[in-house]
Amino acid sequence: MRLRALLDTDALGLRLLGGEDELDRTVRGVMTTDLRDPSRYLSGGELVLTGLAWRRDAADSEPFVRLLVQAQVAAVAAGEAELGSVPDDLVEACARHHLPLFAVHESVAFAAITEHVVRQVSGERAGDLAAVVDRHRRMMTSGPAGGGPDVVLDLLGSDLDLRAWVLSPAGRPIAGSKVAGPALPADVCAKLAAEHLAAVRTGRRGPHRVLLGTTTYSLFPVRSSGGRSAQGSRDVRETVLSDWLLAVEADAGDWPEERLDLLQGVTQLISVERDRRDAARTVRRRLAQEVLELVQTGAAPAEIAARLRVAAPVLLPGLGSAPHWQVVVARVEWQGGDLEGGPIAQSLLEEILVDPLSTGPEPSDRIAVAHTGDEAIALVPLPAVSTEHDGSEILAELLLESVRDPLSAGLDDDGRVTLGVSASVHSAEGLRGALEEARHARRVAAARSGRVCAAGHQELASHVLLLPFVPDDVRRAFTARLLDPLRDYDRRHRAELIPTLEAFLDCDGSWTRCANRLHLHVNTLRYRVGRIEQLTSRDLSRLEDKLDFFLALRMS
């Protein structure tokens, strides 16, 4: 605001004592002081309010004014309550240095002037920023020239002095203002993401305020709008594990409505970039779906290899040689089974498989994810820079460590995520085995306790590691010979021989433990095991027959 506007505000009761030619100066803030040297607390452009307690005699005015001028303040307003009037020596010193001087009537509180200036300055700056944001919104919606969310966050930093970051649901930094200073530590990002997801699941309206140490953050949801139904009509579980958030280092609880509305507009602007990111993933999703269908239908390795050659340039532009491939399988399950988990798992994998050390939605988004039912399958290319791996392979334990806490908060007490990670393969022939390996690893993870669990190929037993490479016709013949008689019997008599066999093997052949698990009398269990042996001509007291049944169940 201008000094002239202060003088024209009758409620403030200011009287100009000097500096009429300087009334077009801009006021950027206000400070009340009675220090003899307040310069170290000034940054320029302030209206300095003083009760003159620093003045002991006429000689004190000149050095006081000189220090204010060197600090480039906008003006001085001196109160009349202490001395009855503003001393002539202060008026003369201000005139010599061309510093505007106001007299403040004793009936006017400095707090009233401060409140008025702060309200006017904040309103004008917010209005200016809103206009800039509106222009930027039009730029971003019309094409990529807008510069992405980083530019918007730079505006928040430069115009409103707000440090802000965009984070993924797992706490990965996606964007940050260049004026925000050092990047947020990884543990802070993870805690903010966890707090945000927990708040979303409890239905609390944003912004959500979080105190970490001595710093308060306000968290705003960034929701995708493309192809979505209205917020009030969708199940929050559909997007809670994929929506971004805007973290602002400030307490929004004290903000006026205008500033809250502005930040909501910023989140809408960032969501434009998120929608563009989702649209860009369409090609990669289709590639993953095509490769997955070829692998699962038993297509010839040459046909799969040809499709991989098409996918490689899309996923890794400029790659000179064929990459290694790794497969990650995820399953999202909600209690009640009323929500399909496949699309949720797909969006989740697309977020968490990005390199955690990279920032931005691009260019690190180099994976292809398909989904079927409640399962999502990611095809992850790894550059084959040498015959030995360069450390870029995804490890289940590191993946789990980076996402467990935030995702557990988003899953609350009714959801579960399990992940399986294969070893890397370098050819189409190995891709089917990698898929089976990742699925086996996910089943290992599913057997563990916890909301978010993962397992890698290193954790698979030797027999499980070999199963993916058994030819399909051998699998079918082996499992049919052992298990089809039991399935037929269960179907005709509504018996439970297959579940009984699984439980008996899981209990290492212990009659008591198995009977307790199935809530059966031991004699009933013995009858069922006897019927299994009779139908299959096998003996479950023999190690060889136990092992055959165990492998048949794993391959079925």
Side-chain angles (χ1 to χ4, degrees):
M1 65 179 302
R2 307 288 183 181
L3 288 174
R4 191 181 306 281
L6 282 174
L7 192 61
D8 293 340
T9 304
D10 295 336
L12 299 182
L14 297 178
R15 183 163 48 90
L16 184 64
L17 300 180
E20 185 175 359
D21 295 338
E22 304 291 337
L23 291 180
D24 285 329
R25 290 188 180 187
T26 300
V27 179
R28 301 185 182 280
V30 61
M31 178 187 179
T32 300
T33 183
D34 277 314
L35 295 173
R36 295 169 64 84
D37 180 7
S39 58
R40 61 180 177 274
Y41 301 110
L42 299 168
S43 58
E46 292 92 348
L47 171 66
V48 175
L49 304 176
T50 178
L52 303 176
W54 50 268
R55 182 185 178 277
R56 292 172 297 191
D57 55 46
D60 291 336
S61 293
E62 173 66 23
F64 180 77
V65 172
R66 189 185 310 115
L67 290 169
L68 296 186
V69 171
Q70 291 173 352
Q72 299 182 333
V73 303
V76 177
E80 296 180 323
E82 183 72 20
L83 302 178
S85 63
V86 178
D88 291 340
D89 48 88
L90 179 58
V91 176
E92 293 168 1
C94 288
R96 280 194 297 273
H97 293 280
H98 304 284
L99 181 64
L101 175 64
F102 298 95
V104 182
H105 193 272
E106 62 181 4
S107 64
V108 179
F110 281 178
I113 299 174
T114 300
E115 182 181 352
H116 177 80
V117 172
V118 170
R119 185 168 59 248
Q120 293 299 315
V121 170
S122 297
E124 289 180 4
R125 293 172 76 186
D128 292 342
L129 180 59
V132 175
V133 167
D134 184 62
R135 289 197 300 273
H136 196 72
R137 177 184 291 111
R138 291 196 295 271
M139 292 172 63
M140 287 186 67
T141 53
S142 61
D150 295 281
V151 175
V152 184
L153 301 187
D154 284 341
L155 292 175
L156 290 178
S158 61
D159 285 54
L160 289 183
D161 299 323
L162 291 176
R163 289 159 45 89
W165 302 265
V166 178
L167 304 177
S168 77
R172 179 179 67 88
I174 292 172
S177 167
K178 295 183 180 65
V179 298
L184 284 178
D187 61 328
V188 173
C189 292
K191 289 176 182 176
L192 292 177
E195 293 284 351
H196 171 72
L197 293 179
V200 171
R201 286 307 313 274
T202 57
R204 302 206 314 266
R205 292 186 58 188
H208 312 121
R209 289 179 289 164
V210 178
L211 179 64
L212 296 182
T214 59
T215 305
T216 299
Y217 297 89
S218 296
L219 310 178
F220 295 80
V222 178
R223 298 187 174 96
S224 175
S225 57
R228 301 284 180 86
S229 57
Q231 171 65 18
S233 62
R234 69 180 182 184
D235 192 324
V236 69
R237 297 175 299 174
E238 294 181 40
T239 57
V240 67
L241 300 183
S242 58
D243 279 344
W244 293 351
L245 66 136
L246 174 66
V248 181
E249 190 180 290
D251 188 345
D254 300 328
W255 286 1
E257 287 297 324
E258 293 80 4
R259 180 168 290 198
L260 287 172
D261 290 343
L262 174 62
L263 265 293
Q264 294 295 346
V266 169
T267 64
Q268 294 170 10
L269 186 54
I270 295 171
S271 73
V272 173
E273 181 64 30
R274 175 154 179 237
D275 289 341
R276 181 177 293 122
R277 183 282 319 261
D278 282 344
R281 285 177 169 169
T282 302
V283 173
R284 294 192 289 274
R285 288 174 173 175
R286 186 169 64 249
L287 285 172
Q289 196 70 46
E290 291 174 354
V291 172
L292 176 63
E293 289 175 359
L294 290 174
V295 170
Q296 294 193 125
T297 56
E303 187 177 357
I304 299 174
R307 181 56 57 187
L308 290 177
R309 284 194 294 272
V310 173
V314 176
L315 302 180
L316 289 177
L319 190 66
S321 60
H324 288 84
W325 298 95
Q326 205 168 358
V327 176
V328 180
V329 172
R331 191 177 183 91
V332 176
E333 298 170 291
W334 302 99
Q335 288 182 7
D338 58 335
L339 190 63
E340 186 180 4
I344 303 171
Q346 181 181 49
S347 297
L348 178 61
L349 280 183
E350 288 171 337
E351 291 292 348
I352 68 176
L353 290 180
V354 176
D355 182 356
L357 298 180
S358 65
T359 57
E362 299 287 350
S364 56
D365 198 355
R366 296 292 182 252
I367 56 173
V369 186
H371 76 82
T372 173
D374 287 335
E375 182 183 70
I377 301 165
L379 190 63
V380 184
L382 304 173
V385 296
S386 67
T387 55
E388 296 296 328
H389 253 309
D390 60 348
S392 60
E393 183 174 325
I394 297 171
L395 300 177
E397 58 269 21
L398 296 181
L399 182 62
L400 180 62
E401 181 181 348
S402 65
V403 303
R404 181 195 288 113
D405 291 343
L407 296 187
S408 295
L411 293 163
D412 198 17
D413 60 354
D414 62 345
R416 192 156 192 254
V417 171
T418 50
L419 303 161
V421 182
S422 78
S424 61
V425 296
H426 66 277
S427 66
E429 289 85 350
L431 203 56
R432 182 178 179 279
L435 174 58
E436 292 288 347
E437 190 174 73
R439 281 174 165 161
H440 282 306
R442 193 207 64 78
R443 294 188 189 102
V444 170
R448 297 170 177 167
S449 59
R451 289 290 166 192
V452 184
C453 298
H457 62 94
Q458 305 93 334
E459 303 174 62
L460 299 181
S462 58
H463 69 278
V464 178
L465 196 60
L466 293 173
L467 289 182
F469 303 100
V470 176
D472 284 343
D473 54 345
V474 176
R475 285 170 176 248
R476 286 192 290 269
F478 184 73
T479 57
R481 185 167 63 251
L482 280 177
L483 301 183
D484 279 1
L486 305 183
R487 294 192 180 110
D488 291 341
Y489 188 89
D490 282 347
R491 186 167 48 252
R492 286 185 285 106
H493 298 279
R494 296 184 180 181
E496 296 183 351
L497 297 186
I498 292 289
T500 300
L501 175 62
E502 290 176 332
F504 187 72
L505 295 175
D506 285 344
C507 293
D508 298 324
S510 169
W511 296 99
T512 302
R513 281 171 34 217
C514 184
N516 290 336
R517 176 184 293 190
L518 297 175
H519 305 291
L520 298 174
H521 192 278
V522 173
N523 289 340
T524 303
L525 176 60
R526 290 186 183 277
Y527 171 80
R528 289 188 182 180
V529 170
R531 179 62 67 183
I532 292 171
E533 293 174 334
Q534 179 184 4
L535 292 170
T536 60
S537 301
R538 296 295 185 110
D539 183 355
L540 278 169
S541 65
R542 298 177 66 248
L543 176 60
E544 294 86 347
D545 288 341
K546 285 181 181 177
L547 181 58
D548 282 349
F549 278 121
F550 178 82
L551 292 174
L553 289 170
R554 289 298 181 273
M555 287 190 292
S556 64

